[in-house]
Amino acid sequence: MQKAINQFNGNINAINEMGSLYHHLTNVLKLPNDLSDILRSQIVYSVSALDKLIHELVKCGMLQAFKGQRTKTKKFNDFAISLETYHNIQSINHAAGDILQLVTPEFYFEQEIILKHKHLAFQDPEKIADALSFIWDETQKWKKIACALNEPEDPIKKRLKIIVSRRNQIVHEADISLQSNLRNHIGHVEVIESIGQNNDLISPGVKPRRHSGINSKLSLNT
């Protein structure tokens, strides 16, 4: 799972570099152009980075459970696979020991996860909590995360909802107000706070004990 966290950190670094570019163009070169779309893209990419991270953590955790390396949750046990995937896995298991297997059962299971989850967005706090149920049986997930952040649960979830809503305005409405038909204002501080909120949910330096599910701040054991 550390690979997924490293990828997330790389994505956040790239997003921050976009902010540096915005600062250079506006404050150093003092270009007269409206460069606010750089800020909008930062919000969009920061939410995408979090979404991608949850997808990868869930996939990795489910593969670990499939291989017997992680405790299976109720939601994991309820995960349905196609008959085709089932037969592919069974054919490999039956052929085990006969020939060198170039494709493993885990490969087919991973493809099933990707197929089932690729259309899902893990951005809203409730959607994130539901997705994490595949690998974490904790019933009060956001309470645990909030405790690690030393903040109340509701404000954290509320801020994330606002960021996701802001992202949706940009992506689905061209960031144009439905009331005034004018573009919504966006500032550098708003973007920094949005990126910081998503980044603060991740704690790559803390590793919980194996099979403990998820530790504070969404940093799963590797």
Side-chain angles (χ1 to χ4, degrees):
M1 290 191 177
Q2 189 60 48
K3 181 179 178 181
I5 294 174
N6 291 341
Q7 182 184 63
F8 172 82
N9 289 332
N11 289 335
I12 292 297
N13 288 336
I15 294 166
N16 286 329
E17 288 177 0
M18 295 170 65
S20 298
L21 174 63
Y22 175 83
H23 175 79
H24 181 75
L25 294 176
T26 56
N27 297 327
V28 179
L29 298 183
K30 299 185 183 300
L31 297 183
N33 312 68
D34 179 7
L35 302 173
S36 60
D37 277 343
I38 296 178
L39 301 180
R40 291 183 176 87
S41 66
Q42 284 185 279
I43 289 182
V44 172
Y45 280 123
S46 69
V47 175
S48 295
L50 179 61
D51 191 343
K52 174 65 172 176
L53 174 70
I54 301 302
H55 273 272
E56 290 300 312
L57 292 179
V58 169
K59 182 180 71 174
C60 183
M62 291 180 70
L63 286 171
Q64 289 177 343
F66 181 78
K67 293 185 289 186
Q69 299 171 351
R70 174 183 288 273
T71 303
K72 295 178 176 65
T73 68
K74 181 182 183 303
K75 191 172 181 68
F76 175 88
N77 287 329
D78 290 339
F79 182 73
I81 63 174
S82 67
L83 283 175
E84 180 182 9
T85 297
Y86 172 78
H87 288 309
N88 286 334
I89 292 174
Q90 288 298 102
S91 65
I92 292 177
N93 290 335
H94 291 156
D98 296 339
I99 57 174
L100 178 63
Q101 295 297 319
L102 299 179
V103 180
T104 64
E106 292 81 20
F107 169 80
Y108 288 115
F109 187 65
E110 180 178 8
Q111 298 310 303
E112 188 79 18
I113 296 171
I114 294 172
L115 181 65
K116 292 287 180 63
H117 289 176
K118 68 179 181 179
H119 299 300
L120 303 178
F122 300 148
Q123 302 170 2
D124 180 86
E126 301 309 319
K127 296 290 186 181
I128 291 174
D130 184 59
L132 291 175
S133 294
F134 281 111
I135 58 176
W136 189 24
D137 258 338
E138 171 62 47
T139 57
Q140 300 293 328
K141 296 179 179 63
W142 281 103
K143 184 176 181 180
K144 290 281 188 179
I145 295 168
C147 182
L149 292 171
N150 198 28
E151 291 187 46
E153 174 184 354
D154 288 342
I156 294 174
K157 293 166 65 176
K158 182 178 180 180
R159 288 200 303 271
L160 182 54
K161 284 178 177 288
I162 290 173
I163 294 169
V164 172
S165 176
R166 193 72 180 88
R167 175 262 181 198
N168 291 339
Q169 285 179 321
I170 296 168
V171 172
H172 301 298
E173 301 169 6
D175 206 18
I176 295 176
S177 171
L178 299 179
Q179 286 73 37
S180 67
N181 206 35
L182 299 174
R183 250 190 161 188
N184 294 309
H185 172 75
I186 188 168
H188 202 192
V189 173
E190 175 188 354
V191 173
I192 292 174
E193 290 177 349
S194 298
I195 298 172
Q197 162 79 4
N198 290 341
N199 191 43
D200 285 346
L201 294 175
I202 312 306
S203 178
V206 181
K207 295 185 179 181
R209 295 186 299 274
R210 183 169 293 279
H211 297 310
S212 62
I214 185 171
N215 84 324
S216 52
K217 297 189 186 178
L218 300 187
S219 176
L220 305 195
N221 58 306
T222 55

